[in-house]
Structure formats: C-alpha cells, structure tokens
Amino acid sequence: MEAVLRLMARGLTDVEIAGELIIDRETVTSCVSAVRGKQGARDRTQAVITAYESGFVFPA
C-alpha cells in the first residue's frame, strides 16, 4: 500500500500504477480504497495531501 500511495502522489492513474508495480488494476483500486480508509480521506486527492503533510511523501 505504501508504494501505491507514493505513486498516487506522483499523479499516476490506477492503470499506470498497476503497470509500474506489475499488479492488476483491481488490486490497485483496492489498495487506494484501503489507504483512503486508513487515513479517513474522502478521495485520493485528500489522501495524497495527507501523505505530504505527514512527511510520508516529499516533493520531487
């Protein structure tokens, strides 16, 4: 899930994340949902913002 969140922060789509991690899109979708649930985020944008604010992800 951490890798998915880092790739989400880079702006990749679910399909792009799946290709990068060599997993299927449905697995990515499940991971995105799990990340959002753990953070209490209403959408993937809020999840990424939270990742930046917490220091989990840093700007390139």
Side-chain angles (χ1 to χ4, degrees):
M1 277 192 283
E2 294 172 3
V4 170
L5 180 55
R6 290 183 195 281
L7 293 171
M8 285 169 52
R10 287 182 30 205
L12 275 64
T13 66
D14 287 358
V15 172
E16 293 168 331
I17 293 170
E20 186 81 19
L21 298 177
I22 312 170
I23 58 177
D24 60 42
R25 189 194 53 78
E26 291 80 16
T27 301
V28 174
T29 301
S30 295
C31 287
V32 170
S33 292
V35 166
R36 288 179 45 217
K38 284 185 176 189
Q39 292 181 339
R42 68 181 164 266
D43 55 31
R44 71 190 291 142
T45 302
Q46 187 179 22
V48 170
I49 290 169
T50 300
Y52 276 105
E53 290 177 342
S54 69
F56 182 75
V57 176
F58 298 98

